[in-house]
């Protein structure tokens, strides 16, 4: 993998002259682009524990001009708020970022050697996590360059950094954790995240919201979602609301400007109405309007272009109240969604033909609405690190009364598969045929599994009369049992000729590829993510393990799945796919019985026997083999960039998408074009 050692991009000599003949300073912002057909398109850069990838936007040219404009305006609205996430993450982030940008752009000293390279790595880490704390672990990044070098580089680049921000970079004791969930400490005081005044304590926050939240209503507001809680001059706590004219006003004002343009090219009335509420919410900060927006957004199901905008997920707040700024602009993936719809329309067929006991089958099954989308642009909390599936809104009462939208970010998943798939395959596949099937059908197999799991799986089956909700009967095993049940529905039907007949897959080879991948992952590959000596805890990891391990053992006598040890490496080779399908069906029937009857003992035995304990020898082996893969544990993306092409009268005639070559180049371009907040807010 190449290391992007320099981003210096020299323009051709003729372009260096102004009209007046003065040589222009060559830009240090790399504006080179790449094409999706280039080999190595998906991998852009790697540093520290991070891989930076690219994703492409399939079908962009098939969109109408109006849809492209809508994407462009929404994307600009999203990017306008990029600085907000930086300031939310930590109070000195924006000034530190600007100091880093100044050095990257202006430093004329040696741009190589240990100090520079360490600085460049740090800069990339900070850009990747929208601040000086790691996006996942929440620990502060450790600079490997010296303070002396940095001070001199800043001076030479003509920029000053306040002593407290300098301390934040170099003193590991200062604001060490962005979000602390250590229950022995005051969560608010121990977290560096910028959602609360520096002297505000957890107890005060709890007290402040207790009264508001105690109001009896079945439509509660999301208190605290869009504000910072601070102590005012007279010592009282008060909210500084994110709104035009309030906290983050300049960025939100810019965003509103683009949202108004988006409204002008909305695809239909439902979409226009939702955008109107979002604008009103950004202007007023009124949480009731946020709810109105979400209700309207949930009802907008016909549009090709959709989006997630606003202060959404609350994971960054140790108190789980404040929403991080997020932007995702997306277009419906017509092919994948058509497959989903075909499956949804046939939900009753799947139920009638499932291996469940007759009394556990639903008479009127309604498939769950789920769509595949392609991302066209992301910002804030969703970039560079991005989710691959989103289910919103978060307010439970809106979900219950008005529904929710679930999407899978198809082109992002594709990019992950294409950037890292083959090396994992080479290390863990039993033979060349398995690799070939995975390469030919892996992507479709994954999408069909997701569709069947979400649309048919979770909607399938019914409880016996008098049996309570699974959370109550199966307790801590409820979610792993439910996820395993949905997986088993998917596994059972992904090998069904019905799917070929419905036209959603070309042959049963797709199902075979899915079986290979499921077993390989469940019994081997996923153990990479577990630390030595630890059990499996996460619900999905557990269910992949118990489904695979149970099936392996069940088919042992018939050599359905054979364990092969070659040169000290273990492989699982599926020898009989049809028998394996029957085994999955048998387990599905039993798992549905456990759920339908609320059989806690059987559930506990299944999960504890097959889904928790890791064989230490196999685990050590997987960790050893995984080192050959050398993929960094975290990945994120360079965003495609949009440019409006205008005609003679200034109207937009097309929107072009380019794929930037260089991560730092994009970060510096963003600073130039999409930065609207002062250092301190
Ligand atoms: Zn699920």
């Amino acid at each position: 993998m190449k290391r992007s050692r320099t981003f210096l991009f020299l323009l051709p000599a003729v372009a260096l002259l102004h009209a007046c003949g003065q040589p222009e300073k060559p830009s240090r912002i790399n504006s080179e682009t790449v094409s999706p057909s280039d080999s190595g398109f998906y991998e852009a850069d790697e540093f520290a524990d991070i891989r930076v990838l690219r994703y492409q936007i399939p079908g962009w040219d098939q969109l109408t001009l109006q849809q492209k404009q809508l994407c462009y305006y929404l994307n600009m609205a999203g990017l306008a708020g990029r600085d907000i996430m930086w300031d939310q993450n930590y109070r000195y982030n924006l000034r530190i970022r600007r100091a880093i940008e100044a050095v990257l752009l202006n430093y004329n000293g040696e741009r190589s050697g240990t100090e520079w390279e360490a600085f460049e790595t740090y800069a990339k880490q900070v850009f990747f996590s929208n601040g000086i704390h790691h996006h996942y672990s929440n620990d502060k990044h450790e600079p490997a360059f010296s303070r002396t070098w940095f001070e001199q580089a800043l001076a030479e680049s003509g920029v000053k950094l306040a002593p407290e921000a300098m301390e934040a970079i170099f003193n590991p004791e200062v604001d060490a954790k962005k979000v602390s969930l250590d229950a022995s400490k005051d969560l608010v005081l121990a977290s560096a995240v910028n959602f609360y005044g520096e002297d505000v304590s957890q107890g005060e926050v709890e007290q402040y919201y207790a009264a508001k939240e105690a109001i009896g209503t079945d439509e509660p507001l999301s208190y605290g979602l869009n504000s910072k809680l601070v102590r005012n001059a007279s010592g009282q706590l008060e909210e500084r609301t994110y709104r035009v004219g309030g906290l983050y006003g300049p960025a939100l004002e810019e965003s509103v400007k683009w949202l108004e343009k988006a409204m002008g090219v909305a695809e239909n009335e439902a979409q226009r109405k939702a955008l109107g509420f979002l604008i009103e919410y950004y202007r007023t900060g009124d949480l009731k309007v946020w709810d109105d927006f979400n209700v309207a957004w949930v009802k907008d199901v016909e549009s090709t272009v959709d989006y997630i905008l606003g202060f959404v997920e609350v994971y960054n707040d140790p108190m789980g109240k404040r929403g991080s700024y997020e932007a995702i602009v997306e277009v419906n993936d017509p092919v994948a969604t058509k497959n989903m719809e075909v499956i949804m329309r046939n939900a009753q067929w799947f139920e009638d033909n499932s291996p469940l006991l007759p009394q556990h089958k639903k008479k009127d099954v309604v498939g769950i609405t789920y769509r595949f989308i392609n991302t066209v642009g992301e910002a804030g909390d969703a970039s560079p690190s991005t989710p691959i599936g989103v289910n919103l809104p978060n307010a439970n009462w809106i979900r219950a009364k008005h529904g929710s939208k679930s999407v899978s970010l198809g082109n992002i998943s594709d990019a992950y598969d294409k950037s890292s798939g083959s090396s994992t395959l080479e290390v863990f596949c039993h033979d060349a045929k398995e690799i070939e099937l995975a390469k030919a059908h892996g992507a479709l197999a994954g999408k069909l599994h997701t569709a069947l799991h979400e649309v048919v799986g979770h909607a399938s089956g019914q409880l016996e009369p008098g049996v309570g909700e699974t959370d109550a009967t199966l307790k801590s095993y409820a979610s792993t049992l439910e996820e395993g049940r949905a997986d088993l529905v998917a596994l059972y039907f992904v090998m069904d000729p019905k799917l070929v007949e419905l036209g959603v897959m070309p042959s049963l080879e797709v199902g075979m590829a899915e079986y290979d991948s499921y077993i390989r992952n469940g019994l081997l590959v996923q153990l990479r993510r577990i630390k030595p000596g630890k059990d499996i805890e996460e619900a999905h990891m557990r269910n992949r393990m118990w489904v695979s391990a149970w099936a392996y053992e069940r088919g042992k006598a018939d050599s359905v799945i054979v364990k092969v040890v070659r040169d000290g490496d273990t492989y699982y080779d599926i020898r009989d796919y049809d028998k394996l399908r029957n085994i999955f069906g048998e387990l599905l029937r039993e798992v549905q019985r456990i759920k339908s009857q609320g059989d806690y003992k059987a559930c506990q035995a299944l999960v504890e026997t097959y889904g928790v304990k890791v064989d230490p020898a196999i685990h050590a082996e997987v960790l050893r083999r995984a080192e050959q893969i050398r993929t960094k544990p975290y990945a994120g993306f360079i965003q495609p960039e949009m440019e409006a092409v205008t005609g003679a009268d200034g109207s937009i005639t097309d929107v072009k998408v380019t794929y930037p070559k260089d991560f730092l180049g994009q970060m510096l371009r963003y600073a130039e074009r999409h930065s609207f907040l002062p250092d301190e807010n």
Side-chain angles (χ1 to χ4, degrees):
M1 175 69 59
K2 75 185 157 52
R3 269 183 53 121
S4 177
R5 290 273 299 277
T6 171
F7 52 91
L8 190 75
F9 176 53
L10 290 168
L11 295 163
V14 284
L16 295 179
L17 298 178
H18 278 307
C20 61
Q22 287 298 312
E24 188 186 317
K25 220 172 77 178
S27 170
R28 276 180 167 146
I29 304 180
N30 187 333
S31 344
E32 287 174 277
T33 60
V34 295
S35 156
S37 58
D38 294 350
S39 76
F41 168 80
Y42 293 98
E43 299 100 354
D45 198 356
E46 59 176 53
F47 50 87
D49 54 356
I50 301 292
R51 283 190 303 153
V52 179
L53 309 176
R54 295 185 197 88
Y55 64 88
Q56 57 168 305
I57 309 173
W60 177 258
D61 292 329
Q62 275 81 62
L63 297 176
T64 65
L65 174 60
Q66 188 189 347
Q67 289 167 337
K68 286 182 185 175
Q69 278 178 278
L70 180 56
C71 288
Y72 172 68
Y73 294 144
L74 290 169
N75 196 42
M76 292 297 279
L79 284 164
R82 174 177 180 253
D83 284 354
I84 297 174
M85 180 83 254
W86 286 78
D87 193 72
Q88 285 182 312
N89 273 338
Y90 184 51
R91 63 192 183 285
Y92 299 137
N93 273 341
L94 281 172
R95 63 180 70 188
I96 291 171
R97 190 190 81 196
R98 285 178 177 134
I100 289 171
E101 287 163 356
V103 173
L104 288 170
L105 287 171
N106 303 328
Y107 181 60
N108 286 321
E110 193 58 57
R111 284 174 170 256
S112 62
T114 326
E115 297 274 35
W116 176 262
E117 281 175 22
F119 166 71
E120 211 178 62
T121 297
Y122 181 78
K124 289 176 179 180
Q125 287 179 289
V126 171
F127 281 121
F128 190 88
S129 50
N130 297 306
I132 63 170
H133 298 86
H134 194 280
H135 72 288
Y136 195 82
S137 74
N138 288 306
D139 294 327
K140 225 161 58 167
H141 295 304
E142 289 173 33
F145 50 94
S146 69
R147 186 166 178 156
T148 319
W149 179 87
F150 189 53
E151 279 167 350
Q152 158 260 321
L154 286 175
E156 281 190 26
S157 309
V159 62
K160 282 198 173 72
L161 190 58
E164 58 273 22
M166 196 65 109
E167 266 307 279
I169 297 175
F170 288 100
N171 184 346
E173 306 296 311
V174 173
D175 295 323
K177 202 89 182 166
K178 184 172 84 177
V179 186
S180 170
L181 294 175
D182 177 353
S184 69
K185 293 181 189 157
D186 182 302
L187 297 182
V188 173
L189 292 174
S191 299
V193 74
N194 191 23
F195 287 134
Y196 300 94
E198 280 172 70
D199 58 348
V200 175
S201 73
Q202 181 179 350
E204 287 179 300
V205 177
E206 283 164 356
Q207 203 184 358
Y208 185 87
Y209 288 104
K212 291 178 190 277
E213 284 164 359
I215 299 168
T217 166
D218 54 1
E219 297 185 0
L221 298 179
S222 304
Y223 292 108
L225 186 71
N226 65 337
S227 64
K228 179 174 177 177
L229 190 65
V230 297
R231 201 180 309 283
N232 65 20
S234 54
Q236 307 292 311
L237 289 186
E238 68 177 25
E239 288 182 334
R240 289 185 63 206
T241 303
Y242 309 155
R243 63 175 172 84
V244 174
L247 186 52
Y248 304 143
L252 293 170
E253 200 168 333
E254 177 70 13
S255 202
V256 163
K257 184 182 101 188
W258 292 103
L259 289 173
E260 284 176 334
K261 289 177 194 279
M263 248 180 115
V265 292
E267 294 176 83
N268 51 55
E269 202 39 50
Q271 190 175 52
R272 200 183 334 272
K273 190 177 165 194
L275 286 168
F277 279 128
L278 185 60
I279 291 169
E280 192 189 338
Y281 170 61
Y282 278 180
R283 286 206 171 115
T284 62
D286 184 343
L287 287 170
K288 170 69 174 65
V289 180
W290 172 243
D291 285 347
D292 293 341
F293 161 72
N294 278 294
V295 171
W297 178 80
V298 160
K299 289 181 179 154
D300 171 16
V301 287
E302 300 296 323
S303 308
T304 291
V305 179
D306 207 356
Y307 57 90
I308 291 162
L309 283 170
F311 308 99
V312 184
E313 305 293 357
V314 297
Y315 309 118
N316 261 330
D317 178 2
M319 305 302 286
K321 297 194 175 303
R322 306 193 130 72
S324 296
Y325 177 80
E326 176 173 358
I328 300 179
V329 183
E330 59 196 47
V331 293
N332 201 8
D333 175 342
V335 179
T337 299
K338 201 171 135 255
N339 281 352
M340 288 275 194
E341 278 163 6
V342 170
I343 289 167
M344 205 152 61
R345 275 203 308 277
N346 287 277
Q348 192 64 51
W349 183 93
F350 289 110
E351 189 74 353
D352 295 344
N353 289 277
S354 84
L356 304 187
L357 295 168
Q359 65 270 32
H360 298 154
K361 289 188 187 185
K362 265 195 190 135
K363 304 294 165 280
D364 296 295
V365 64
V366 181
I368 292 169
T369 306
Y370 194 86
R371 297 208 301 180
F372 267 100
I373 55 98
N374 287 317
T375 310
V376 302
E378 301 175 304
D381 200 18
S383 177
S385 171
T386 168
I388 57 166
V390 185
N391 188 329
L392 287 172
N394 281 329
N396 279 319
W397 73 265
I398 299 180
R399 300 171 68 86
K401 264 193 199 172
H402 302 280
S404 61
K405 288 201 254 190
S406 280
V407 294
S408 205
L409 285 57
N411 56 340
I412 300 274
S413 300
D414 279 355
Y416 278 124
D417 287 347
K418 287 181 176 140
S419 65
S420 67
S422 63
S423 63
T424 311
L425 295 177
E426 271 136 33
V427 174
F428 289 102
C429 284
H430 172 262
D431 51 56
K433 171 86 178 156
E434 190 177 330
I435 297 177
E436 191 191 308
L437 279 180
K439 284 186 174 165
H441 303 298
L444 178 60
K447 281 184 183 174
L448 282 176
H449 180 101
T450 304
L452 289 163
H453 173 113
E454 300 289 347
V455 178
V456 182
H458 283 308
S460 156
Q462 64 181 6
L463 302 183
E464 291 190 5
V467 175
E469 283 300 312
T470 37
D471 279 354
T473 59
L474 304 177
K475 304 186 176 74
S476 65
Y477 300 112
S479 71
T480 190
L481 192 88
E482 176 59 14
E483 292 309 321
R485 197 183 64 84
D487 268 3
L488 284 162
V489 171
L491 289 166
Y492 185 76
F493 287 114
V494 83
M495 271 298 279
D496 197 312
K498 180 78 177 177
L499 293 192
V500 181
E501 189 190 303
L502 290 174
V504 300
M505 67 186 202
S507 74
L508 289 181
E509 283 198 343
V510 178
M512 292 162 73
E514 182 56 22
Y515 280 19
D516 287 343
S517 140
Y518 198 89
I519 295 294
R520 188 170 67 236
N521 184 51
L523 295 177
L524 297 170
V525 183
Q526 69 164 347
L527 301 181
R528 281 180 75 186
R529 293 159 61 187
I530 305 285
K531 293 221 164 73
K534 294 270 188 234
D535 288 341
I536 302 185
E537 285 178 17
E538 198 274 327
H540 294 82
M541 291 185 71
R542 279 188 167 185
N543 89 245
R544 287 169 197 144
M545 177 82 154
W546 62 252
V547 168
S548 305
W550 191 93
Y552 167 66
E553 198 167 293
R554 183 70 178 169
K556 222 171 183 174
D558 289 342
S559 300
V560 174
I561 305 171
V562 175
K563 180 174 166 175
V564 178
V565 181
R566 203 166 51 212
D567 303 332
D569 290 347
T570 307
Y571 303 87
Y572 288 92
D573 187 33
I574 301 174
R575 300 272 165 92
D576 192 329
Y577 290 89
D578 291 329
K579 277 196 182 144
L580 182 53
R581 181 176 186 226
N582 290 334
I583 290 172
F584 285 142
E586 189 188 339
L587 182 57
L588 172 57
R589 182 162 52 245
E590 169 61 6
V591 165
Q592 182 64 53
R593 184 201 63 77
I594 291 173
K595 180 180 173 181
S596 293
Q597 300 178 345
D599 187 343
Y600 178 79
K601 274 217 153 81
C603 185
Q604 182 182 41
L606 175 66
V607 177
E608 292 291 342
T609 311
Y610 296 100
V612 178
K613 291 277 175 268
V614 186
D615 173 347
I618 290 279
H619 190 191
E621 181 196 315
V622 168
L623 293 176
R624 168 179 62 74
R625 290 162 73 186
E627 279 175 26
Q628 299 169 49
I629 300 171
R630 289 187 189 281
T631 34
K632 308 270 186 182
Y634 304 101
F637 290 86
I638 291 184
Q639 298 296 326
E641 290 179 16
M642 293 178 201
E643 192 193 340
V645 182
T646 49
D649 63 348
S651 65
I652 294 181
T653 56
D654 195 11
V655 179
K656 292 247 175 288
V657 166
T658 55
Y659 300 98
K661 181 172 186 181
D662 185 71
F663 177 54
L664 281 181
Q666 175 160 79
M667 293 297 104
L668 292 171
R669 220 160 21 251
Y670 278 1
E672 206 175 67
R673 297 177 186 173
H674 309 289
S675 184
F676 298 96
L677 293 182
D679 282 353
E680 204 170 337
N681 289 280

